[in-house]
Amino acid sequence: MKMNKWVSAASALLLGATPLVASFVGGVESASAQETLIVSAAGQFDYVSENIKAFEEANNVKVEVWDKDMFEVLDGLSLDGPAGTGPDVMIAPYDRVGSLGATGMLLPVTLNDEAEYDDTDKQQVTFDGEIYAAPATIETLVMFYNTDLLEKAPETFEELEGLLKDDKYAFEGEDGKNVGFLANWVDFYHTYGLLAGYGGYVFGEDGTNPEELGLNNEGAVEAIEYATKFYQESWPQGMQDKTSAPDFLNQSFMDGKTAAVITGPWMANDFNNSGVNYAAAKIPTLPNGEDYKPFGGGKGWTISAFTEKQELAQKFIDWVTSTEQQDIMYERLEEVPANQVSRKKAAESGSELTAAVIDVYKNAVPMPNIPQMAEVWTGAENMMFDAVSGSKSAKETADAAVELIKEAIAQKGY
């Protein structure tokens, strides 16, 4: 089975969205000036621009919809906001919400009651007790598997290990190496689900206490040791290179040489174009009987702290996160809605990819959105590589990563 396209914050960054601006006015503009709301909707541009007329007519306003690069807009807000050249409303990835709120770039928002958000949804957009974004989409890693090679989705990691013992997936060029199952565990974002499944974590108190790090606890070390076995016993040398490993993994799957991979839903478009026959499923259960617990992410709608149209901006957010609009958004873009009512409807749509994302997301860990999270990406960058390459033990590399993160946090003086 093949999935339709998926647009994510990660793919928007990689593809570098071309700056486009569209302005839509409901009906003929009258002689009296209409209030204008500027909305930066990268990744959601097509959906918003096609449906904004209803909001304009209901509120007698003009909405200017931007398709500028999401990260450029967010990074430029500190200068563009005071200059009056920034947007009033922006879409932002959840992991940026906390830092933007902490630095005074965002205004608190009110959540739409009809969306029926749960505690996980709210945690994604909350910082220091304030809600700084209205959830729009959810996203997490899933498993893709080749339906020509496997009759059904593997349900346990023991089954995935079994694929690596099957000679039909032997890797040409490296004796004893196998590509039956692949995961990019030298990338911290991808390996976190393994660490968390064994009891590791980034920060304490649900990701809000940067003084407590759990990336070198007993469970995290056990997870690193487990991952190391794959690299040293089965996977080709190219899987250790953080830069080339994603391309290696994706190409091997698209070429029909790999039966199962763990990656993001944003790869569905490339898999479709490759012609490989595949399906998506929940990531299998770990050997300890626990679920794989990757980061949960997605995007939410935020209000610039520099806007002079806070009330209108909130009206837009109420509209765009309504069940009706979230249903339309899913039909148009096939990104999984954060709105719980729409999410349930999407789960029943028949899309295996949507069902897989929702299923994995139930056990996903909200990515910490406090400013200190920025230091984790750098500090943990080489954690897995140092272990799988044999330069350090699992305990040594975990301790080193935590020490680097602590030092960086202290130096930045958060």
Side-chain angles (χ1 to χ4, degrees):
M1 176 179 291
K2 298 185 179 179
M3 316 297 174
N4 292 324
K5 68 180 183 178
W6 187 285
V7 181
S8 71
S11 61
L13 175 61
L14 293 172
L15 295 174
T18 303
L20 298 173
V21 180
S23 177
F24 299 87
V25 185
V28 179
E29 189 170 1
S30 64
S32 61
Q34 285 181 302
E35 192 170 19
T36 299
L37 187 74
I38 300 176
V39 174
S40 179
Q44 299 253 338
F45 176 79
D46 291 342
Y47 148 67
V48 174
S49 61
E50 291 169 5
N51 291 276
I52 197 61
K53 185 176 180 180
F55 176 79
E56 291 177 318
E57 290 180 344
N59 294 277
N60 189 31
V61 297
K62 174 182 177 181
V63 179
E64 200 173 281
V65 188
W66 290 2
D67 194 23
K68 296 182 179 180
D69 181 85
M70 175 171 58
F71 297 96
E72 288 182 8
V73 171
L74 298 176
D75 292 341
L77 188 59
S78 61
L79 295 178
D80 296 337
T85 57
D88 300 295
V89 178
M90 304 152 293
I91 197 163
Y94 295 142
D95 61 316
R96 293 291 298 273
V97 170
S99 59
L100 289 168
T103 53
M105 297 295 105
L106 302 178
L107 293 176
V109 305
T110 301
L111 297 185
N112 197 328
D113 288 339
E114 71 172 71
E116 298 184 4
Y117 299 118
D118 62 18
D119 290 341
T120 299
D121 300 328
K122 294 174 183 177
Q123 185 178 335
Q124 297 271 38
V125 294
T126 300
F127 175 76
D128 200 21
E130 293 280 6
I131 296 175
Y132 285 104
T137 65
I138 63 168
E139 183 176 275
T140 192
L141 297 175
V142 297
M143 182 181 67
F144 290 94
Y145 66 98
N146 186 316
T147 54
D148 290 332
L149 299 174
L150 300 176
E151 293 184 0
K152 63 183 183 67
E155 296 180 358
T156 66
F157 263 79
E158 283 83 353
E159 291 179 67
L160 295 178
E161 291 180 50
L163 295 174
L164 295 172
K165 296 180 175 65
D166 191 329
D167 289 341
K168 72 179 179 182
Y169 303 116
F171 180 69
E172 296 180 8
E174 292 183 40
D175 290 341
K177 298 301 182 179
N178 191 292
V179 293
F181 157 68
L182 297 174
N184 183 20
W185 284 336
V186 288
D187 184 301
F188 179 69
Y189 175 80
H190 287 261
T191 195
Y192 182 75
L194 180 64
L195 300 175
Y198 274 90
Y201 57 91
V202 180
F203 298 129
E205 298 175 31
D206 293 327
T208 63
N209 182 3
E211 295 183 2
E212 179 190 345
L213 282 89
L215 292 179
N216 63 339
N217 65 14
E218 183 178 350
V221 171
E222 185 178 359
I224 295 171
E225 290 174 342
Y226 179 64
T228 299
K229 180 176 70 172
F230 286 84
Y231 286 89
Q232 295 182 350
E233 296 179 5
S234 300
W235 289 343
Q237 190 72 22
M239 285 296 292
Q240 293 187 19
D241 188 324
K242 181 181 177 181
T243 302
S244 62
D247 290 337
F248 182 98
L249 178 153
N250 293 328
Q251 195 61 54
S252 186
F253 185 74
M254 290 187 290
D255 289 344
K257 298 177 181 178
T258 295
V261 296
I262 295 175
T263 188
W266 49 85
M267 284 307 303
N269 280 342
D270 288 349
F271 293 165
N272 286 342
N273 294 335
S274 73
V276 63
N277 293 316
Y278 70 92
K282 179 183 177 182
I283 299 173
T285 303
L286 292 166
N288 63 355
E290 297 293 328
D291 284 310
Y292 196 91
K293 300 176 181 178
F295 283 125
K299 294 173 289 187
W301 291 102
T302 65
I303 300 177
S304 167
F306 306 97
T307 184
E308 296 179 353
K309 302 155 188 159
Q310 182 178 1
E311 183 178 352
L312 181 59
Q314 181 64 57
K315 285 184 178 180
F316 172 83
I317 285 179
D318 290 341
W319 171 80
V320 79
T321 60
S322 67
T323 300
E324 178 184 12
Q325 288 303 315
Q326 285 263 281
D327 287 348
I328 295 172
M329 184 274 294
Y330 175 71
E331 291 172 3
R332 179 67 178 82
L333 303 178
E334 295 191 12
E335 290 194 69
V336 182
N339 178 311
Q340 289 279 353
V341 179
S342 293
R343 194 187 309 180
K344 291 174 184 176
K345 183 177 179 180
E348 299 169 355
S349 68
S351 167
E352 288 185 343
L353 179 54
T354 296
V357 170
I358 293 173
D359 206 5
V360 175
Y361 195 82
K362 293 175 183 176
N363 295 300
V365 178
M367 189 182 298
N369 62 13
I370 60 176
Q372 291 88 342
M373 184 64 190
E375 310 310 324
V376 174
W377 300 113
T378 302
E381 183 176 17
N382 295 320
M383 181 172 66
M384 191 64 76
F385 174 78
D386 288 343
V388 303
S389 64
S391 62
K392 294 180 181 178
S393 70
K395 178 61 174 172
E396 289 172 340
T397 192
D399 286 343
V402 167
E403 189 61 30
L404 279 174
I405 295 168
K406 287 181 176 179
E407 289 177 357
I409 290 174
Q411 289 173 0
K412 294 292 179 63
Y414 288 99

